Amino acid sequence: MAAEVAQLLLAVIQGIPGGATNDDLTKALSDMPAASRVEGLNVLLKQGGIEILKKGEKLIYRAKDPEKKSALPKDADNEEKVVYSIVEEGGNKGIWIRDIRMKSNLNMTQLNKILKNLETKKLIKAVKSVNASKKKVYMLYNLEADRSVTGGAWYQDQDFEVEFVDVLNQQCLRFLQMKRESAEKKRDGPLAFKQMSCCTVKEVHKFISDLGISKVNLDEDDLETILKTVVYDGNAERILQSDGTYVYRAVNLPLPAPGFVQMPCGICPVIKNCSNCGDVTAINCQYMNEWLD
């Protein structure tokens, strides 16, 4: 009898994609006694056919994908199921505890206890976000956190790896310069030179991977981020191809100015009046002192 009631309830719940409330079930199955309805819902929960969510003061019963098995044990209570479902909805970007509290309508003491239990059972985990160092987001235990949460390859324990990025920047530029120098030596004309001096992200990725300078796995998107910093530094150009992709090419920088030109004396308008004595002297020149500092 309970199994038949459960199937009737499941049919109604499946017909409402967003989930059915007790009012929806009562309206659809008006002849069904409340006790039978509760018994049927318990059967569905034990079988894993539905999940419970909480919206304000109302419970929502939502049909689960039959191919998607929950990691929750069958003896989990309703509050744990509600919290687990909310965390599951957050995906690999996670969800703040404040949002879990608002969606579950549980008080903080009760919610903290449930979260701790789920963490102990290795069903969920807390991950620190680079966007807010003092806050954590919760996600399912087996998920790998999104880059927007961890910061990707450029962060280690929430600290930006400045030296690591600088090394990659230098090595990417080195590869672009090597490619340009190789093209210059062939002297096959301006068009051929331009084509031969361009590098794809895939080529740069292979070069960096072969160097073995990174302890973390870097994908092509990571290397393109670094290549963009090389462009922003004025050391390379980014060229759009006909297929919508980009290639990168090192640019020739002007020669650094000679030391004398860099000195204040090189551009001093009163240098002809400068001497070892008098009002204009190198010893008392504030521009010279600033340059030496």
Side-chain angles (χ1 to χ4, degrees):
M1 180 66 179
E4 294 176 3
V5 171
Q7 290 306 309
L8 289 172
L9 289 166
L10 183 59
V12 175
I13 294 170
Q14 287 175 333
I16 306 175
T21 63
N22 279 314
D23 292 338
D24 294 327
L25 297 176
T26 302
K27 185 177 179 181
L29 302 167
S30 55
D31 296 335
M32 182 180 292
S36 299
R37 186 170 66 250
V38 171
E39 187 179 3
L41 289 170
N42 285 331
V43 169
L44 290 173
L45 286 168
K46 288 179 180 178
Q47 292 175 345
I50 62 172
E51 58 187 348
I52 301 178
L53 302 175
K54 205 165 186 179
K55 190 174 182 181
E57 296 294 330
K58 292 184 177 181
L59 290 176
I60 306 291
Y61 303 98
R62 188 171 65 184
K64 295 182 70 174
D65 185 345
E67 296 181 1
K68 185 179 176 183
K69 295 182 179 180
S70 173
L72 269 176
K74 293 183 179 180
D75 61 348
D77 58 36
N78 288 340
E79 285 77 11
E80 284 185 333
K81 290 177 180 177
V82 168
V83 172
Y84 182 87
S85 297
I86 293 171
V87 173
E88 187 176 26
E89 286 181 345
N92 64 346
K93 291 187 177 181
I95 183 169
W96 303 110
I97 189 171
R98 181 187 63 183
D99 296 329
I100 300 175
R101 183 171 63 84
M102 290 177 65
K103 289 187 175 184
S104 66
N105 206 31
L106 296 168
N107 63 61
M108 282 304 298
T109 303
Q110 188 178 12
L111 178 57
N112 281 325
K113 183 180 178 182
I114 292 171
L115 289 171
K116 189 174 181 179
N117 287 340
L118 292 174
E119 283 187 87
T120 302
K121 295 174 183 177
K122 293 188 175 181
L123 297 172
I124 66 170
K125 62 183 176 183
V127 180
K128 289 183 179 180
S129 172
V130 295
N131 297 318
S133 58
K134 294 183 180 179
K135 291 184 178 180
K136 297 182 292 186
V137 294
Y138 290 89
M139 63 185 67
L140 296 189
Y141 187 81
N142 61 342
L143 293 181
E144 182 178 346
D146 187 78
R147 290 187 181 197
S148 61
V149 177
T150 64
W154 320 131
Y155 282 81
Q156 179 70 31
D157 296 327
Q158 293 187 288
D159 293 326
F160 185 67
E161 295 284 344
V162 179
E163 292 182 4
F164 178 48
V165 172
D166 285 344
V167 169
L168 288 174
N169 179 292
Q170 293 166 14
Q171 293 302 322
C172 285
L173 175 58
R174 175 171 158 252
F175 180 71
L176 296 182
Q177 290 172 335
M178 288 165 54
K179 190 88 170 177
R180 184 185 179 98
E181 289 169 3
S182 175
E184 285 176 342
K185 290 177 181 178
K186 295 190 177 180
R187 301 180 183 276
D188 291 334
L191 288 177
F193 164 72
K194 186 174 182 180
Q195 291 178 343
M196 294 171 65
S197 61
C198 290
C199 306
T200 64
V201 178
K202 187 175 182 179
E203 289 175 317
V204 178
H205 179 262
K206 184 180 184 305
F207 173 74
I208 296 297
S209 298
D210 291 344
L211 285 179
I213 59 176
S214 175
K215 294 180 181 179
V216 296
N217 290 326
L218 299 173
D219 57 26
E220 291 185 11
D221 288 339
D222 292 326
L223 267 300
E224 184 149 32
T225 300
I226 296 296
L227 285 167
K228 286 178 182 177
T229 67
V230 178
V231 174
Y232 298 150
D233 289 341
N235 295 321
E237 59 181 336
R238 188 171 186 243
I239 305 168
L240 178 63
Q241 301 293 93
S242 58
D243 60 357
T245 60
Y246 287 91
V247 292
Y248 295 82
R249 185 162 70 105
V251 297
N252 266 345
L253 297 176
L255 292 173
F260 181 71
V261 175
Q262 292 180 344
M263 292 174 61
C265 307
I267 56 173
C268 181
V270 292
I271 190 171
K272 64 181 180 179
N273 300 325
C274 187
S275 64
N276 293 330
C277 59
D279 294 331
V280 183
T281 66
I283 295 174
N284 297 324
C285 178
Q286 71 177 80
Y287 304 111
M288 178 65 76
N289 290 332
E290 289 176 0
W291 182 71
L292 290 172
D293 290 340

